[in-house]
Amino acid sequence: MSALMLFRKGVDSVKLWAGRFSKEIDKKTNDFNSSISFDSRMYREDIEGSMAHAEMIGECGIIEKSESQAIIEGLKGILADIDNGDLQIDMNAEDIHTFIEGELTQRLGQTGKRLHTARSRNDQVAVDIRLYLKKEVQNIKKQVKELIGVICNKAEEYAGAVMPGYTHLQRAQPITFGHHLMAYVEMLLRDVDRLECAYRHMDEMPLGSGALATTTYPIDRTITAKLLNFDRVSQNSLDGVSDRDFCMELASVLSIIMVHLSRFSEEIIMWCSWEFKFVELDDAFSTGSSIMPQKKNPDIAELVRGKSGRVFGDLMTLLTVMKGIALAYNKDMQEDKEAIFDAVDTVKMCLTAFTPMIDTMKVLTDNMRKAAANGFINATDCADYLVKKGLPFRDAYKATGTLVAICIEKKTTLEELPIEEYKKICDIFDEGVYEAISLENCVNGRKVIGGPASENVKAQVKRVKSIINI
Ligand code: ARG
């Protein structure tokens, strides 16, 4: 009797579980249950994983070498046909794993059915997502590094461009535009590091975990790990199939990246306003208004700021899906993919638009310089000048505060206030004060590590460029 005849008569099902069931799945339930609309993007990884598994079970003598070879060739053919459009993925299939295996069996007959020996879709899907995300982490890392390079170039160009630094969004102390930009580079460097860490955690090969408890076949998991270029093999089969920490971790890292992009966007939006006018975005990265002809809107920056919400939502989805499910695999976990794929897609899309927007942005240094001159942002330096001449800081602070009040009353600035007025408040003052409070001197005097002096900014740019090889 052929193996086929062992199946119950009357159920001509393509479902993997045909045999146990006497009815086809309800059509609407099939749509609800199916993940093919969002997991079909992993077809390449699914095929790569299957090829490695086929090779390993062949090597270990679990199936004939000739069959293993035929399966690998069959899978290669399927991959080529999907790539070149000759094979359409059937959206009625339950998931990508079912579709590929079904297609292989159609092409190879009995031999195709041997592929799933010593494997479950639970370890199969676990390996597919890891393979897929490992590639995406590298893509995103490359994009973040590109952004770092673009910011570094701008920072180098504007290492000496004086602007006000803010606290509470009030003008506080003078810095340079280069220094301000390099703050974002530090954040993004940490993001690169976090991406690398997330990569390390997902670089673990779960195949061989089976459905939950491995298998009695004499498989060699190190062979598949090596073939698939994983750093190591997972050490507990329950964890192997039910761990999605790497998705949550990646979504956390991506959320932090979005926080950084969103803060940067917020500043760009402010800087574009007429109230600031520190920068002007290139026409190619701005939009107009349908009704107000004068408008030039920073839509890209606003969208990046807005899209951060999606990514945080994806992280929340993953945390919530995972928090209450008993070991090992549960179907809830199918919900991981849309969330993590959306987070990955969103971050990639944001970076694709954001980086050239920064690259082409025009910096209006005169406006920055003017804003820096009008907010008494050299008041701390005025007080420090008195301290360097021997006055205790608290007295110097009070004297300078009085001078600021006089300037406000006389509608002038510390730079323009005559020396006689200074002397009236404190007789230690002399003409040297004007040099001490010149904005350029205030900035360039701050040479300590991490300071805004233009030589510091240039050194920081050089250091970063050498770290990330640009
Ligand atoms: N589509 C499923 C998922 O994404 C694949 C694993 C199915 N395993 C199972 N036992 N139903 O999670």
Side-chain angles (χ1 to χ4, degrees), residues 454-469:
S454 56
E455 64 189 78
N456 281 34
V457 173
K458 285 183 191 149
Q460 192 191 357
V461 168
K462 210 166 146 202
R463 182 183 63 89
V464 172
K465 283 189 170 181
S466 76
I467 297 175
I468 63 163
N469 303 319

Side-chain angles (χ1 to χ4, degrees), residues 16-17 33-36 38-39 42 94-98 120-126 129 211 244 329-337:
L16 294 178
W17 53 79
N33 196 46
S34 166
S35 55
I36 192 123
F38 49 85
D39 66 17
M42 302 192 302
E94 189 191 341
D95 52 32
I96 190 63
H97 329 294
T98 319
S120 155
R121 272 187 304 161
N122 296 351
D123 55 355
Q124 192 178 351
V125 72
I129 320 173
R244 294 293 182 274
Y329 179 85
N330 294 263
K331 189 78 169 189
D332 317 38
M333 287 160 69
Q334 180 165 286
E335 289 292 308
D336 60 357
K337 280 170 277 307

Side-chain angles (χ1 to χ4, degrees), residues 227-455:
L227 287 170
L228 293 171
N229 210 8
F230 274 99
D231 178 57
R232 60 198 180 277
V233 165
S234 62
Q235 292 298 307
N236 179 290
S237 63
L238 296 176
D239 183 51
V241 286
S242 64
D243 164 34
R244 294 293 182 274
D245 290 6
F246 59 96
C247 295
M248 294 183 263
E249 186 174 9
L250 180 57
S252 315
V253 176
L254 296 178
S255 294
I256 297 174
I257 292 178
M258 286 308 291
V259 169
H260 296 152
L261 296 185
S262 182
R263 285 183 85 173
F264 202 170
S265 294
E266 166 65 13
E267 297 209 292
I268 285 165
I269 293 160
M270 281 193 317
W271 293 339
C272 283
S273 71
W274 282 106
E275 282 68 17
F276 279 82
K277 266 290 167 249
F278 286 0
V279 300
E280 193 179 331
L281 297 182
D282 192 86
D283 283 359
F285 297 95
S286 317
T287 54
S289 156
S290 59
I291 176 169
M292 297 167 281
Q294 85 284 10
K295 288 292 283 299
K296 185 167 170 185
N297 297 329
D299 281 27
I300 307 297
E302 290 168 34
L303 260 181
V304 168
R305 188 179 55 183
K307 280 183 189 292
S308 60
R310 291 179 72 113
V311 180
F312 306 162
D314 293 328
L315 169 62
M316 207 44 68
T317 300
L318 287 163
L319 295 172
T320 314
V321 163
M322 292 307 296
K323 80 177 182 66
I325 46 184
L327 299 180
Y329 179 85
N330 294 263
K331 189 78 169 189
D332 317 38
M333 287 160 69
Q334 180 165 286
E335 289 292 308
D336 60 357
K337 280 170 277 307
E338 278 170 296
I340 192 63
F341 292 163
D342 182 69
V344 164
D345 293 348
T346 305
V347 169
K348 282 169 68 182
M349 221 159 53
C350 287
L351 286 165
T352 303
F354 194 84
T355 302
M357 179 188 76
I358 299 293
D359 197 20
T360 53
M361 160 178 99
K362 208 160 111 197
V363 181
L364 306 173
T365 50
D366 286 353
N367 293 347
M368 289 179 177
R369 182 71 181 69
K370 265 185 228 146
N374 288 333
F376 304 104
I377 63 177
N378 43 8
T380 317
D381 297 86
C382 181
D384 286 344
Y385 161 88
L386 291 175
V387 171
K388 281 173 197 157
K389 283 184 165 277
L391 212 64
F393 182 77
R394 276 292 151 226
D395 294 340
Y397 176 97
K398 201 169 163 208
T400 309
T402 311
L403 286 164
V404 168
I406 292 171
C407 287
I408 292 171
E409 200 191 303
K410 292 185 183 292
K411 295 196 171 33
T412 186
T413 61
L414 286 172
E415 290 95 314
E416 277 154 19
L417 191 72
I419 191 68
E420 298 76 51
E421 298 286 342
Y422 276 96
K423 284 188 182 292
K424 272 189 220 163
I425 303 302
C426 178
D427 58 9
I428 301 179
F429 277 114
D430 61 30
E431 292 284 339
V433 69
Y434 295 111
E435 206 180 306
I437 62 167
S438 106
L439 296 181
E440 280 67 23
N441 289 342
C442 295
V443 167
N444 289 321
R446 288 174 159 79
K447 297 192 226 298
V448 295
I449 297 172
S454 56
E455 64 189 78

Side-chain angles (χ1 to χ4, degrees), residues 71-85:
I71 290 173
I72 292 169
E73 288 309 315
L75 288 166
K76 273 190 195 155
I78 293 174
L79 180 60
D81 289 350
I82 298 178
D83 275 345
N84 64 29

